[in-house]
Amino acid sequence: MTHSIDTLINHTADIDLKNIAEKVKLQQRITDQEGLQLFEKASLSFVGFLANYIREWKHGDTTYFNRNFHIEPTNVCVFSCKFCSYSKLYANKEEGWELSIDQMLDIVKSYDGKPITEVHIVGGVHPKMNMDYFIELMQKIKAHRPSLHVKAFTAVELDYMFRKAKLTAEQGMAKLHEAGLDSLPGGGAEIFAPEIREQIAPDKVDAIGWLRIHEIAHNLGMHTNATMLYGNIERYEHRIDHMSRLRNLQDKTGGFNTFIPLKFRNHDNEMSNVPESTVTEDMRLYAIARIYLDNFPHLKAYWPMLGRENAQLSLSFGVNDIDGTIDDSTKIYSMAGSEEQNPAMSTEELVTLIKQVRRKPIERDTLYNVVTDYSTIDFSNLPAEDKLN
Ligand code: V47
Ligand code: SF4
């Protein structure tokens, strides 16, 4: 591996790119300006090589997935993000859904006896689903299945919930954590730069508020993820600004597990006139994120959004996690035009997908503890119950 990175360095004529490759070899951090140079000047194969080099020294061939399901409590939302194909205004209630606590608990119960490790709960920001509602939900889930890891609520939902309850973010987060909230998903980050955020997500929590909520969660010992919605009207400098703010907070707290770039999908929303990014741009972004975010352990390709084959491809561009079985329980991407209209994969399918590109499939829990190493398991010999989602 050292030999081939030396070959890359020797064959790179551009002095900026040569310096970046040297830094990667020496495991040094690249600057914001160098991140920008990668977006502006580097070929797909150049960033791909460096990202794969980092991925392999950090993780070898290991590729993580988990067994999870989603609950989307509602698609009614007080906000009106321009890219959202999912939310329905409170006034148009007939088009929306609202799940009661019992309905959500029934979803949890439907997984009884199945080896699921995580429930992911995210939805619209409903004016009536308040802090008490979600505290009761957390408590009931934990009472029913204490070992199930609850990863729930974006910083956008939390900010609204805390303000309505007239609690500080510190107080609100402590209450939810005590009720059973284990970690936070990465949604709602979109693009932090105000000049873009104000155009695509004008009315929800701003960058400072989003980062503050994650910092408070980290200070309570919780882990969180971070996303970036890319490929619409932002420019390269906004992507670097976004990742720079995340890298700075990670230096301070170390609480982020995973960075998840989310490709903008343009079906049936107010930005349908904006073309979607190409697969080449998607892979370049994954690779540059892997190179730039040196303090993020994991980089995830969310397969329901990217599609199965592109998720496979991303495993050569720095990605080491492809999320979970999901079990057809999320609508946010199918409504935005993803080719995955019914996102669900059995463990066997996920394992096969990873093995097809010669990587090592490892089932993880939310905190990246190894649940099962599937690299040597032959599915044809497994009892039927072990093949379940
Ligand atoms: O914040 C909404 C995005 C996010 C569109 O933490 C869109 O493990 C593209 O954050 N095109 C919510 N993206 C989903 C999310 C997530 C998903 C999977 C795993 C995790 C995790 C987090 O979905 C929103 C927004 O950025 N989104 N509409 C769209 N048209
Ligand atoms: Fe609401 Fe989230 Fe859609 Fe924005 S992206 S409108 S906050 S559901």
Side-chain angles (χ1 to χ4, degrees):
M1 190 54 91
T2 311
H3 171 70
S4 42
I5 197 165
D6 285 336
T7 310
L8 180 79
I9 293 167
N10 291 337
H11 284 81
T12 302
D14 184 287
I15 191 69
D16 297 328
L17 297 182
K18 198 192 245 320
N19 286 340
I20 293 171
E22 283 279 7
K23 279 192 165 179
V24 170
K25 181 187 162 191
L26 299 171
Q27 299 181 15
Q28 290 172 357
R29 172 170 283 190
I30 67 164
T31 64
D32 290 1
Q33 197 198 356
E34 288 166 336
L36 211 49
Q37 287 163 349
L38 287 176
F39 276 120
E40 283 165 355
K41 298 202 277 190
S43 67
L44 177 62
S45 62
F46 182 87
V47 292
F49 181 93
L50 294 182
N52 195 48
Y53 180 83
I54 298 168
R55 183 239 208 262
E56 289 187 357
W57 69 252
K58 282 193 172 171
H59 300 288
D61 282 329
T62 294
T63 300
Y64 293 104
F65 68 94
N66 69 346
R67 294 208 234 190
N68 62 352
F69 63 98
H70 287 222
I71 296 179
E72 298 183 350
T74 181
N75 67 337
V76 170
C77 188
V78 297
F79 297 125
S80 44
C81 303
K82 301 276 183 292
F83 53 81
C84 186
S85 321
Y86 165 88
S87 78
K88 297 290 168 248
L89 292 176
Y90 196 50
N92 300 338
K93 251 175 102 180
E94 66 280 4
E95 290 184 53
W97 70 80
E98 296 168 11
L99 300 183
S100 67
I101 291 177
D102 284 344
Q103 284 172 315
M104 291 191 264
L105 212 56
D106 283 345
I107 298 176
V108 173
K109 287 179 184 166
S110 71
Y111 290 92
D112 283 358
K114 292 190 183 179
I116 293 284
T117 58
E118 174 190 280
V119 55
H120 172 127
I121 309 174
V122 164
V125 179
H126 192 295
K128 298 252 166 74
M129 289 183 177
N130 59 17
M131 187 85 186
D132 291 338
Y133 192 82
F134 286 121
I135 285 180
E136 188 183 336
L137 177 68
M138 300 287 101
Q139 288 168 338
K140 287 194 165 157
I141 292 176
K142 285 293 178 177
H144 180 72
R145 191 164 172 175
S147 64
L148 189 65
H149 186 106
V150 180
K151 182 179 74 172
F153 312 127
T154 65
V156 175
E157 294 166 274
L158 293 170
D159 171 69
Y160 184 84
M161 231 187 269
F162 299 158
R163 281 190 289 116
K164 271 212 118 174
K166 299 198 173 11
L167 293 172
T168 64
E170 284 85 353
Q171 291 167 332
M173 193 68 76
K175 272 180 173 258
L176 283 172
H177 187 40
E178 196 190 310
L181 177 65
D182 294 303
S183 62
L184 306 188
E190 321 313 356
I191 275 282
F192 290 143
E195 65 265 39
I196 302 298
R197 197 175 185 85
E198 278 157 17
Q199 291 182 64
I200 65 172
D203 44 7
K204 67 191 194 190
V205 68
D206 65 8
I208 292 166
W210 190 98
L211 290 161
R212 201 167 155 263
I213 284 179
H214 281 255
E215 184 171 356
I216 291 166
H218 297 170
N219 290 340
L220 286 170
M222 298 162 76
H223 284 271
T224 76
N225 292 336
T227 57
M228 175 171 77
L229 176 70
Y230 73 93
N232 51 83
I233 59 168
E234 87 289 355
R235 293 193 302 276
Y236 292 148
E237 71 210 56
H238 302 120
R239 297 180 184 181
I240 292 293
D241 169 77
H242 190 93
M243 292 194 285
S244 163
R245 295 182 199 227
L246 292 173
R247 194 167 76 170
N248 290 342
L249 180 56
Q250 180 74 333
D251 277 344
K252 202 167 158 191
T253 64
F256 287 117
N257 269 339
T258 315
F259 181 59
I260 313 159
L262 295 172
K263 175 193 176 94
F264 165 67
R265 307 304 306 240
N266 68 4
H267 183 75
D268 202 16
N269 56 46
E270 284 182 56
M271 291 173 73
S272 293
N273 59 320
V274 178
E276 293 181 358
S277 57
T278 61
V279 177
T280 312
E281 260 304 290
D282 298 335
M283 296 305 137
R284 267 163 51 79
L285 173 66
Y286 280 113
I288 295 169
R290 173 57 87 187
I291 299 165
Y292 181 88
L293 286 174
D294 60 335
N295 56 4
F296 269 66
H298 306 290
L299 179 63
K300 174 150 92 182
Y302 186 54
W303 69 262
M305 175 266 292
L306 201 59
R308 294 168 200 224
E309 290 177 8
N310 292 340
Q312 279 183 315
L313 200 57
S314 73
L315 299 181
S316 297
F317 291 88
V319 168
N320 70 308
D321 185 348
I322 55 169
D323 203 85
T325 43
I326 296 168
D327 211 25
D328 195 8
S329 47
T330 176
K331 300 262 175 299
I332 195 155
Y333 287 107
S334 49
M335 289 170 84
S338 166
E339 31 295 290
E340 298 289 347
Q341 285 301 301
N342 302 299
M345 265 204 263
S346 65
T347 305
E348 187 170 1
E349 283 175 300
L350 269 168
V351 167
T352 305
L353 203 83
I354 295 167
K355 282 189 174 174
Q356 277 171 344
V357 288
R358 308 294 179 262
R359 297 294 196 188
K360 188 177 166 189
I362 304 280
E363 185 194 339
R364 61 164 176 86
D365 65 14
T366 312
L367 303 179
Y368 289 84
N369 300 304
V370 174
V371 177
T372 309
D373 178 349
Y374 279 93
S375 57
T376 53
I377 293 180
D378 178 359
F379 271 90
S380 52
N381 297 327
L382 277 184
E385 62 271 21
D386 286 347
K387 294 186 183 182
L388 293 173
N389 281 342

